[in-house]
Amino acid sequence: MLTATKSRIAPGRLLVNNEWTDGERQFETINPATGEVLTQIAEASKQDVDRAVRAARRSFEDRSGPWRKMTASERGRLVWKLADLAEKNIDELAELETQDNGKPIFESRYVDMPMVADVLRYYAGLSTKIHGETVNTNETAFTYTLREPVGVVGMIVPWNFPLLLASWKLGPALACGNTVVLKPAEQTPLTALRFGELAIEAGFPAGVLNIVTGGSETGRAIVQHPDINKVAFTGSTTVGKEIMRSAADTLKRVTLELGGKSPNIVCADSDLDGAVRGAINGIFYGKGEVCNAGSRLFIESKVRDEFTEKLVARAKKMQPADPLDPKTRMGAIVSQEQMQTVLDYIETGKKEGAKLISGGNRVSLDGGKGFFIEPTIFSDVKNDMTIAREEIFGPVLSMISFDDVEQAVEQANQNPYGLAAAVWTRDIKRAHQISRMLRAGTVWINTYGLMDAALPFGGYKQSGFGRELGAHAVEHYTELKTVWLNMA
Ligand code: NAD
């Protein structure tokens, strides 16, 4: 039996200047496990976005206002307090995320939400370590640099890790003293809205964090707004390109975290059981709706049969089930539309001659209204097939065999994306050499998908630019000012 919506969810409103307001129009947010409407959400118009930007601008520009008067230490404490509140409400946030997105509660409760708190705390601590430098130019000058906040930051996030990806942007933006207009994805707005309530409870001054819900039109209004200084975007490469073009008109700073088609290379000398677990985790965690999913698995021919047998046995055990059940490891695809996209890719894989060796079907649970797909594995895939080239963003693995690891690396790099990659081998020197050859923002050795608030994450090539997480993120949320004092 699927668990019904746990409690009544209030309609979502817009947060502008610490006040909740209705939009002129509304849209529904759906529980993908049951197909039922969770609640109505306000759709922010261009005028609503403008109100939010003006509130953010006022709060940023007011030098005698509470936000600009705050010391770095005070800002850090406020961000820390928000982390505490997120942690205090972790069960509620995790449940909202699971109901809105379809991901297993195990993931929301024990991975996403703890990392939200961790990321906020990392940047809370960093707020007092943001500094410029003094530069010795000549004896009659005092020259130094200041790191100042960029200003009003527009944030646009996708539906796969809704609150977590927002926290990657909010942490550094707030720690650096910016003000924010945040747009969560239309499929998954609930946790961002609850987070807005927590920000007010923490004591963030009016206008510092504004939240506008809506779809692509709301996003476009953010990107086009002349009074936003920077856009931080996570989402598809197609939309990322549109944002970059559109941001050029007002010369906004942009950081883009985009799609991926990450290679996971398994050498014959690796711990095969560990590599099987890593491959399963790499592609089926988060239902495969993960930007860094290990969706292309390169397996050395010598161990292909043994590896495949173990892999399929594990995949078959991972049947989709009620996302709110703590034992579930495979949840519901985020939307009917995304489910159809994934099923279409599976058909394309079959037509292009790849061998379907596990899964491949929609699963009907409890009346069949939910959007569930079996963990799916294709073998005999060629690197130029559609399912090996394009991001599917679902639980579909493409297996490609190799005899020579250098050729595997070459094929791994033959893709427009470059977000992440992994290599499994007991030869550590070789592993480091391969890491250097792979054109990707993250390379895992003998593991897959691990992240830490302190480690930069982001893409090469068409996976975007600008790193999130880690101390370098501060560079993307500050301007560098040079000051020259004449002492002659
Ligand atoms: P999407 O690009 O369709 O939407 C992302 C966000 O952009 C949503 O909030 C959406 O409303 C908004 N949007 C859509 N069109 C817009 C436009 N023209 N202008 C402004 N905003 C617009 O992506 P999605 O389907 O929600 O998410 C999946 C994609 O996100 C995948 O490609 C995935 O790889 C990528 N992703 C990347 C990372 C990363 O860190 N690199 C992380 C998660 C997801």
Side-chain angles (χ1 to χ4, degrees), residues 30 32 35 187 333-343 362 368-371 373:
I30 307 270
Q187 297 85 350
I333 303 298
V334 72
S335 65
Q336 184 150 20
E337 194 191 355
Q338 184 62 17
M339 178 179 71
Q340 199 50 54
T341 303
V342 176
L343 291 172
R362 182 178 180 180
K369 293 211 184 84
F371 315 134
I373 296 183

Side-chain angles (χ1 to χ4, degrees), residues 156-160 165 168 183-187 214-216 219-220 223 233-237 239 242-243 257-260 291 391 393 419 457 463:
I156 302 175
V157 292
W159 44 255
N160 60 340
L165 293 177
W168 289 16
K183 191 195 88 59
E186 57 273 39
Q187 297 85 350
S216 53
R220 281 196 184 95
V223 179
F233 173 75
T234 301
S236 60
T237 294
V239 174
E242 186 188 325
I243 287 179
E257 293 279 4
L258 309 176
C291 49
E391 183 180 43
F393 226 52
L419 191 57
F457 183 81
S463 291

Side-chain angles (χ1 to χ4, degrees), residues 41 43 54 253 282 304 346 352 363 425 432 435 455 481:
I41 304 290
E43 185 180 333
R54 277 189 282 126
R253 285 96 184 92
R304 189 184 90 150
I346 293 172
E352 290 187 1
V363 177
T425 172
H432 284 293
S435 304
L455 290 170
K481 178 180 279 178

